[in-house]
Amino acid sequence: MEKKQVKFENGYYTCDIDITEEEWIDLLKDKKVTKNEYKFVLLMFLNEPDHASTCKEIGEKYNLPAQSINARVISFCKAVHKKLNRYDIFDGDTQKFWHFAMKGRNVGGYFEWTLRPELASALEKCHLSWIPFYEEFAQKLLSYKNNRVDLIRIVYGLEEKYVKNLYNADGSELSDVDPYSVFALMNKGLPDDQRIAVAEYFKTALKVEASLPNDFDGIPIMSVFHTYFFDKEIAAKEIPILWDLYEAELSSDKNRLVEAFDALQQFKWMKWNITMGMYWVKPNDYLSLDTNNRLYLQKMGVSLFKETEINADNYLKLLNSLKDKLKSDGMKVKDIAALTYEAWRENLKISEEERGMWLAGYTYKEGSQLERFVKEGIWEGYFDVVKEKKQIELAGEIKSGDVL
């Protein structure tokens, strides 16, 4: 393998490498090379002036140990080195890795790293790159509001594994579908390559001109067990209202949006989840009130209404108040998409060692509570206060971020 030497040039320690922007994009999309924790740190540097900072400064800004920042950058570079298998980098007789991603210099007693320009450009194309595609897809999808027969045909043109939940109890195909449930086909717990495959199918079927996403950073996702926004038993009532909300959202018709949003609240399973769908469609305008965002907003000191109090008035007041807050000085994030990404990042950074794993039964009262848990995220159970004191103590230890 070829050996390259570090050189000191124009005040920086650097090394000539021949990794192009296109190669960096492929490396960033490869989850075996670029783990989420590596990308988080690289984006922190990307957001700094001139894409330069010290690990100490990054750590203080994001409340992380400087050693952790350093370790993740080097681990990323080692993964790049292994994947490319192109050459080794040495500083004298000592092998180095961070030069794959950075150039560096001493500044005021600390060592400052600067992202390589090709890597910085690739990161910009691999972060929130889904937004232009989703926005155009949303407009194309609207044209099927009055042509749902063709839309159903397109939906069932996907591979069966992607639509296996979109069947009636007797195994027959649905006769209608709402736009948010079509979006959900790209936004459920699937590997990124499968989500890209769904997006590619819709790009062709709906003639979307925007480039396919390179990432799905920050997108709140549906459970793989429940990937639609309506109750199949009353779909004929719900689906038209969902289309009305969707059209009002895209046309910025506040009166129609308020009317449709509130009309949906009469249905049993329609709560926080509809705000998730609204965010997918217009991520720069509407806020998803999924679990990650609610926890993050609480940390920001934002007062939230209860799920039982959800209505258009409360939602829009919260939305407008948050937009004003994001414009203020000192905010780390400046728009809703960036906030949602940070909330997603905060949740993902919890390691498996820190996240509690809890096993619970799902039968209670009249029967199975599984459907309620999947749709509403609520688990209800019963403990005998005399015989099951230990179980009650354990239930009290369940914390945010744990898996039930």
Side-chain angles (χ1 to χ4, degrees):
M1 189 182 297
E2 180 184 356
K3 291 185 178 180
K4 288 182 173 285
Q5 277 290 334
V6 173
K7 59 184 179 181
F8 187 72
E9 188 174 80
N10 298 322
Y12 287 91
Y13 294 93
T14 186
C15 184
D16 293 329
I17 62 172
D18 55 353
I19 305 177
T20 66
E21 178 185 310
E22 290 72 24
E23 287 179 302
W24 277 120
I25 289 173
D26 289 339
L27 289 165
L28 291 171
K29 289 166 65 176
D30 187 338
K31 296 298 183 181
K32 293 181 179 179
V33 175
T34 309
K35 296 180 180 179
N36 282 322
E37 62 191 80
Y38 303 162
K39 189 175 181 181
F40 293 160
V41 171
L42 295 172
L43 288 169
M44 292 172 188
F45 281 93
L46 182 71
N47 291 330
E48 293 300 305
D50 300 321
H51 314 316
S53 186
T54 66
C55 292
K56 179 178 183 294
E57 290 170 334
I58 292 287
E60 289 174 348
K61 186 173 182 178
Y62 292 92
N63 194 30
L64 292 168
Q67 297 91 331
S68 173
I69 304 297
N70 182 288
R72 291 175 185 181
V73 170
I74 292 176
S75 293
F76 167 69
C77 292
K78 286 182 176 180
V80 170
H81 170 260
K82 181 178 180 180
K83 176 70 176 182
L84 294 179
N85 195 31
R86 191 175 294 173
Y87 41 70
D88 296 322
I89 297 176
F90 282 83
D91 186 357
D93 295 327
T94 304
Q95 187 171 7
K96 296 289 186 178
F97 292 95
W98 62 261
H99 299 80
F100 278 94
M102 306 283 189
K103 65 177 183 178
R105 64 175 180 171
N106 289 300
V107 177
Y110 295 95
F111 201 76
E112 179 188 80
W113 275 339
T114 301
L115 286 172
R116 289 187 174 275
E118 297 84 4
L119 174 55
S121 181
L123 280 165
E124 289 172 346
K125 294 179 179 179
C126 290
H127 180 55
L128 303 182
S129 65
W130 57 269
I131 292 179
F133 181 87
Y134 275 40
E135 289 179 332
E136 185 184 346
F137 175 69
Q139 292 291 344
K140 298 284 188 179
L141 185 58
L142 180 60
S143 66
Y144 287 88
K145 181 186 179 186
N146 298 315
N147 186 15
R148 305 230 273 279
V149 172
D150 279 355
L151 180 58
I152 281 289
R153 176 183 55 77
I154 291 170
V155 166
Y156 285 108
L158 277 163
E159 287 186 54
E160 196 276 335
K161 65 181 179 181
Y162 298 125
V163 294
K164 60 184 178 182
N165 292 322
L166 287 179
Y167 288 91
N168 293 308
D170 62 2
S172 62
E173 294 181 358
L174 301 176
S175 60
D176 202 359
V177 70
D178 72 277
Y180 298 107
S181 296
V182 177
F183 257 98
L185 295 169
M186 294 187 291
N187 297 325
K188 54 184 178 179
L190 296 173
D192 281 4
D193 61 337
Q194 293 187 33
R195 295 173 75 179
I196 290 290
V198 175
E200 187 171 19
Y201 172 80
F202 282 128
K203 177 179 171 66
T204 300
L206 273 65
K207 296 181 173 59
V208 177
E209 295 181 3
S211 299
L212 286 169
N214 288 319
D215 73 288
F216 295 96
D217 289 355
I219 300 179
I221 60 173
M222 300 280 280
S223 164
V224 292
F225 300 109
H226 189 81
T227 55
Y228 43 91
F229 281 77
F230 53 90
D231 188 326
K232 293 175 183 176
E233 295 180 2
I234 54 172
K237 294 181 179 180
E238 285 185 278
I239 288 176
I241 304 174
L242 286 161
W243 275 103
D244 286 345
L245 177 67
Y246 185 77
E247 186 173 40
E249 183 183 356
L250 284 173
S251 63
S252 300
D253 187 332
K254 181 180 176 182
N255 291 334
R256 286 183 62 200
L257 185 142
V258 168
E259 182 180 354
F261 190 101
D262 285 341
L264 287 169
Q265 300 313 311
Q266 67 181 290
F267 301 112
K268 187 175 181 181
W269 308 120
M270 197 64 64
K271 297 300 178 185
W272 301 124
N273 57 339
I274 192 57
T275 66
M276 185 187 303
M278 293 171 71
Y279 173 76
W280 297 338
V281 175
K282 296 186 78 172
N284 291 309
D285 294 321
Y286 292 98
L287 171 72
S288 170
L289 290 174
D290 60 286
T291 301
N292 290 344
N293 272 355
R294 296 200 307 273
L295 291 172
Y296 191 77
L297 290 171
Q298 288 171 346
K299 290 180 181 179
M300 288 174 58
V302 175
S303 297
L304 299 176
F305 51 85
K306 298 177 182 178
E307 188 175 34
T308 55
E309 299 170 339
I310 189 168
N311 57 47
D313 184 56
N314 283 338
Y315 175 71
L316 292 176
K317 283 180 178 176
L318 172 63
L319 180 65
N320 292 330
S321 174
L322 179 63
K323 286 180 178 179
D324 289 339
K325 187 178 181 70
L326 294 176
K327 293 176 184 176
S328 62
D329 293 337
M331 290 298 299
K332 186 167 64 176
V333 295
K334 296 296 183 181
D335 57 59
I336 292 174
L339 180 146
T340 303
Y341 166 75
E342 282 298 315
W344 176 77
R345 182 185 68 81
E346 283 286 321
N347 180 62
L348 283 183
K349 81 176 185 180
I350 302 172
S351 69
E352 291 300 326
E353 291 76 19
E354 295 171 325
R355 181 180 285 131
M357 307 291 287
W358 301 88
L359 181 66
Y362 59 86
T363 55
Y364 175 59
K365 289 185 178 179
E366 67 274 13
S368 174
Q369 296 286 310
L370 183 59
E371 185 177 20
R372 184 186 184 196
F373 179 69
V374 169
K375 290 182 176 180
E376 297 184 82
I378 295 174
W379 177 88
E380 184 177 2
Y382 170 81
F383 294 118
D384 186 306
V385 294
V386 176
K387 298 179 180 180
E388 299 176 302
K389 290 183 178 180
K390 181 61 177 177
Q391 285 86 339
I392 294 173
E393 291 175 4
L394 289 172
E397 295 177 9
I398 298 175
K399 61 184 183 300
S400 174
D402 286 357
V403 176
L404 184 65

